[in-house]
Every structure is written in structure tokens, then in C-alpha cells.
Amino acid sequence: MRRDVIIIGAGPAGLCLAQALCRQSWKVALLERQAEAAIAEPAFDGREIALTHASIRLLRELGVWEHIPRDDIAPLRAARVMDGESPHWMTVESDLVGKTQLGSLVPNHRIREAAWRGVQDAPTLDWHPGVRIASVRTTAEHAEVELQDGRRLQASLLIAADSRFSETRRALGIGASQYDFGKSMLVCRLRHEVPHHGVAWEWFGHGQTLAMLPLREHLSSAVLTVPHAEARRLQDLPADDFAAQMRERYADRLGAMELDSSRHVYPLVGVYARRFVGRRFALAGDAAVGMHPVTAHGFNLGLASVERLADMARIARTQGRDLGSDALLARYQRRHRAGSLPLYLATSTVVRVFTDDRAPMRKLRETILRAGQQVMPFRRLLAAQLVDEAPLDAPLPVRLRQGLAQLLPRRA
Ligand SMILES: Cc1cc2nc3c(=O)[nH]c(=O)nc-3n(C[C@H](O)[C@H](O)[C@H](O)COP(=O)(O)OP(=O)(O)OC[C@H]3O[C@@H](n4cnc5c(N)ncnc54)[C@H](O)[C@@H]3O)c2cc1C
């Protein structure tokens, strides 16, 4: 059977994309290396994903949001950036832009589970879990995937959503710039004595970076960035010793701590693909842009790629055009690069500036945070970016008008 689209990778981006395309009645084959059980009932992986308002809107439109248990959604009211022992910090609050929250925190495994449930009723989905891909190729007429069991699938367009280390991207000759931050992130849930009041912390300490993401009143997700060996050592400590060390690392600001989940370690590597498209081929999710998690934009950008590809498919449908045409793919690439490159570069710069412990850099950080806290429009701009719900492909004047409206001071 000839499909319209083959998607490789049923992570959160691949599943949401499959759902978006099936809703437009495209015939989609979704190929996944893992067995169905790992996709249908994903295990807790320590990641708590901070979703922006635009991402939540899209998840609602895709019918994914309704499958996330309400108890697993935590409001994010404010975010505070701190540096070492400096008394100057910057806080971005949702009420700066007249909202009750900047975004929501949702466990990654709940997003994956909800995205899986979302595609269950898709009549045009052709699902292939537990497959091994032998080869991929594209010609002027079609894209073709051969599986190790000998089956061949053809479609007008092939999309790789197979992680930041995408094998499909490499097989089709698209390079990527990769930056190894030389550190790992250890993530887990901690109970703590002192309430967090819905405020997330990003604390750039010396030799380590600590984040605390508020889940329930005395429960947070701890995110600790340290050299890889140190992350592994902490992961293997007995639970009580680990909690005591975390209390010390967080300078007792949240009082006594207790480990409330398994611990997970992620090596930090940023990836930006040199191109997002090829002949009858496109990259989505982390396969296009694999962000450092510090600015919490990875999956939000993954959803942006879903929305932009869905928009491209809508044009193909309404104008009767070839879904894999060069012109449509070029349009997707243009939009997704314009929407992701500034964030990718800004995130890498933030990491470099805020993790450099030399004296001049510490001074620079203190100046940035002090100025940021005092310059209200700057903080409002940061908040406005998170709460902006506008479709990503709204015309620029519409987005500018909405952005400016958010920046104007609110009337009481
Ligand atoms: C600690 C941490 C915290 C994070 N916090 C945030 C946050 O707050 N906000 C945010 O927006 N993002 C965050 N992210 C990023 C977010 O988790 C990722 O952007 C997102 O999971 C990427 O989804 P994906 O579907 O593109 O890729 P993946 O989740 O990597 O899924 C890829 C899928 O492809 C499959 N696959 C791979 N190779 C093949 C193959 N050859 N054949 C078939 N299938 C294949 C895999 O099995 C997998 O199912 C965080 C990441 C980390 C590590």
C-alpha cells in the first residue's frame, strides 16, 4: 500500500505529528524501534516538561491534552534566575502579563502516554512498533523505507522524528552541528519541608547548576547539572544520603528533603541540523533541533515543528499540491529555522555565560540579573513569549501586534 507520509520515531513529536496529519486524512505509516508496550505505557523518566501556552493550545487542538490526568499538570506561576551567592536575582511572574500562569509542568511520560492515546482512533494510521530499519532512500517520485524483515514502504514524504541522534538524518546525508556541554543532568522528584509557592528556580551555582520545578506544594522536580561522573555517583548513593546531599546543595533553602522517585541521568548535547529538509524528506522534533534543557524549549520547539509541518500539509491538501514538493519543504525549513535558530543560539549563550565561574563572568551575570530585574519591559517580554498562544504561523503583523499588547502595562 502506498502511504502519503512515513514517520520514523514514535516519541512525543512523532506521535503528535502523526495525529496532526491523520486529522487531515493523510495516510501515515508510523515506524518505531521500541515495542508497543514501551510507547503505550511509558515509564517515568524523570523529565518534567515545562509547556508554553502555545504548546498547550496545540495539544488541546490535537486531542492530546484531554488524556493527561489533571493531577499530573502543575501550574508554573513564576521563574527565578539566581547566580551563586549573589543577592541579585531576576524573577519573571505570570501577572506581569495578566495571566495566572506562565505555563504548565507535565511529566514527559504522561505527555507520551497521552499522545499515544490520541492516535488510537486515527483511521488512516498504519502503526509499526518494534521494527528495525534496513535502509531509507528518496527519489524524485517517492520516499522508500526497507525494514530488516524485508518489507518495503513507500510514501510521498519521509519525516524523521527519531531523536537528536537521528540515524535517518545521517543515512540521508544531513549533517548536524553538535555541542557536547561536557556535563550531565540528574533529574528526580524531591519532597521538601518549605513550600515553593509555584516558583521555579534556575540557580547557577559555581561548579553546578540547580533547578527546582514546582509540582505539588511540597514536591518539586530537582534538576542538577554536574560533571558526568558526579551525576553517576549521586545517582548511586543510598536515598537518604542523596537527599541529605541535595539539601546541602540547595543551601537548605527548602529545608529537609526526601527522595520521591527514581533518579535519571542525561548527558547534555545540543544538536542543530544543517538542513531540516532534503528530497522528499523533513526533520521534526529533536531530530531537527535538540536543545539544552536549561531554557525548557526542546519539546516546545518539537511541537512548533509539528505545527509547521501540519500547516505545510494543509496547503498541499487545499491547493492539490504534491506533499513532498521542494517548494513546500523549503517553506517549512525557512519557517522552522527562523523560529528555532535564535532560541538555540540564545540558549547556548546562556549556558556558556552562566556556567563560566571566572570573576569577570560572575560580574557580568550579576549585572545582567540586576538590570533584568529592574527593567520591567524586559521581564514582561520574557513572560509574554511564554504565554503567547498565537499559532506559530500567524502572519508577522498579527504576532507583533499581540506581542506589543502583552508588553503594555496592565490596567488595575
Ligand atoms: C532532563 C530533560 C528535561 C527536559 N525539559 C524540557 C522542558 O521543560 N520543556 C521542553 O519543551 N523540553 C524539555 N526537554 C526536551 C524534550 O524531552 C525533548 O525535546 C523531547 O522528548 C523530544 O521528543 P522527540 O519525539 O523529538 O524525540 P525522542 O523523545 O527522543 O523520541 C524519539 C523516538 O524515536 C525512536 N527511534 C529512534 N531511532 C529510531 C529508529 N532508527 N527507528 C525507529 N524508531 C526510532 C525512539 O525509540 C523514540 O521513541 C527536556 C529534556 C531533558 C533530557
Side-chain angles (χ1 to χ4, degrees):
M1 180 183 45
R2 166 96 185 226
R3 286 90 180 165
D4 297 306
V5 185
I6 299 170
I7 300 173
I8 300 183
L15 285 167
C16 289
L17 181 60
Q19 171 75 334
L21 296 178
C22 286
R23 287 196 157 199
Q24 296 178 27
S25 304
W26 296 104
K27 292 194 198 82
V28 177
L30 179 58
L31 314 185
E32 168 60 47
R33 172 187 284 165
Q34 297 182 69
E36 179 164 313
I39 303 298
E41 292 167 29
F44 174 75
D45 60 15
R47 303 185 205 189
E48 308 286 345
I49 306 295
L51 294 169
T52 61
H53 286 234
S55 294
I56 295 168
R57 174 193 49 74
L58 181 60
L59 291 173
R60 275 191 216 284
E61 285 170 12
L62 292 177
V64 170
W65 189 251
E66 68 201 50
H67 294 300
I68 299 175
R70 298 300 96 174
D71 282 356
D72 280 312
I73 302 173
L76 184 57
R77 300 208 171 84
R80 178 169 301 155
V81 185
M82 303 179 279
D83 180 50
E85 301 309 312
S86 167
H88 302 288
W89 60 49
M90 182 177 74
T91 309
V92 178
E93 296 102 350
S94 53
D95 49 16
L96 287 172
V97 285
K99 298 275 183 185
T100 53
Q101 56 189 79
L102 291 173
S104 294
L105 286 160
V106 181
N108 192 44
H109 72 294
R110 291 287 181 233
I111 296 176
R112 293 177 55 201
E113 188 179 70
W116 162 254
R117 292 182 65 183
V119 296
Q120 290 316 290
D121 299 331
T124 56
L125 183 73
D126 176 22
W127 166 232
H128 299 263
V131 294
R132 289 277 178 273
I133 288 163
S135 67
V136 288
R137 72 183 188 111
T138 62
T139 67
E141 289 75 36
H142 61 252
E144 186 175 285
V145 175
E146 186 181 356
L147 303 180
Q148 281 187 3
D149 62 13
R151 280 180 292 162
R152 278 172 200 272
L153 284 78
Q154 283 189 352
S156 303
L157 176 65
L158 172 65
I159 301 177
D162 53 350
S163 87
R164 65 187 62 201
F165 303 113
S166 171
E167 288 168 19
T168 316
R169 182 182 69 209
R170 186 172 306 136
L172 287 173
I174 297 185
S177 76
Q178 301 203 3
Y179 187 84
D180 187 337
F181 291 91
K183 299 263 170 74
S184 284
M185 220 172 221
L186 182 148
V187 284
C188 65
R189 289 179 167 196
L190 288 174
R191 297 207 159 273
H192 43 82
E193 209 178 353
V194 179
H196 49 55
H197 301 298
V199 182
W201 297 357
E202 190 67 49
W203 186 8
F204 295 97
H206 302 144
Q208 62 176 9
T209 303
L210 298 143
M212 218 34 155
L213 307 174
L215 301 177
R216 282 175 229 122
E217 201 47 33
H218 289 270
L219 181 72
S220 292
S221 167
V223 186
L224 175 67
T225 306
V226 284
H228 190 66
E230 180 63 358
R232 285 282 174 218
R233 186 189 71 77
L234 287 166
Q235 188 182 30
D236 293 340
L237 280 180
D240 288 349
D241 295 352
F242 173 75
Q245 288 214 9
M246 292 302 271
R247 178 179 185 170
E248 206 174 299
R249 284 176 185 267
Y250 281 89
D252 214 12
R253 289 180 182 212
L254 290 172
M257 290 180 161
E258 195 185 327
L259 183 62
D260 194 71
S261 76
S262 45
R263 287 162 274 182
H264 301 262
V265 171
Y266 295 94
L268 293 174
V269 180
V271 178
Y272 200 88
R274 302 245 155 80
R275 289 183 282 125
F276 290 176
V277 300
R279 185 171 61 184
R280 294 196 174 275
F281 177 56
L283 299 171
D286 274 19
V289 187
M291 296 280 283
H292 186 299
V294 70
T295 50
H297 274 301
F299 184 52
N300 290 301
L301 275 180
L303 283 174
S305 72
V306 168
E307 188 153 43
R308 290 175 176 130
L309 282 164
D311 181 59
M312 179 190 96
R314 200 170 296 114
I315 294 174
R317 171 74 77 217
T318 51
Q319 298 181 1
R321 290 165 68 179
D322 176 358
L323 183 55
S325 74
D326 290 347
L328 283 176
L329 288 169
R331 181 180 192 276
Y332 163 65
Q333 163 158 277
R334 211 169 40 244
R335 292 189 164 205
H336 198 41
R337 286 185 96 78
S340 61
L341 191 57
L343 267 175
Y344 182 80
L345 295 176
T347 298
S348 300
T349 307
V350 165
V351 174
R352 283 195 200 112
V353 170
F354 277 83
T355 55
D356 187 331
D357 290 337
R358 288 173 297 174
M361 295 308 270
R362 285 194 204 177
K363 197 77 209 146
L364 174 65
R365 291 203 286 270
E366 190 172 320
T367 310
I368 293 173
L369 292 184
R370 199 180 328 179
Q373 182 65 17
Q374 281 163 6
V375 181
M376 178 74 93
F378 176 65
R379 287 193 291 139
R380 223 184 254 134
L381 185 68
L382 291 178
Q385 193 220 333
L386 296 174
V387 303
D388 185 3
E389 282 186 46
L392 290 155
D393 289 308
L396 192 60
V398 174
R399 292 186 67 80
L400 282 177
R401 210 168 42 240
Q402 288 175 344
L404 282 172
Q406 295 282 12
L407 287 181
L408 294 173
R410 311 259 135 193
R411 291 210 184 105

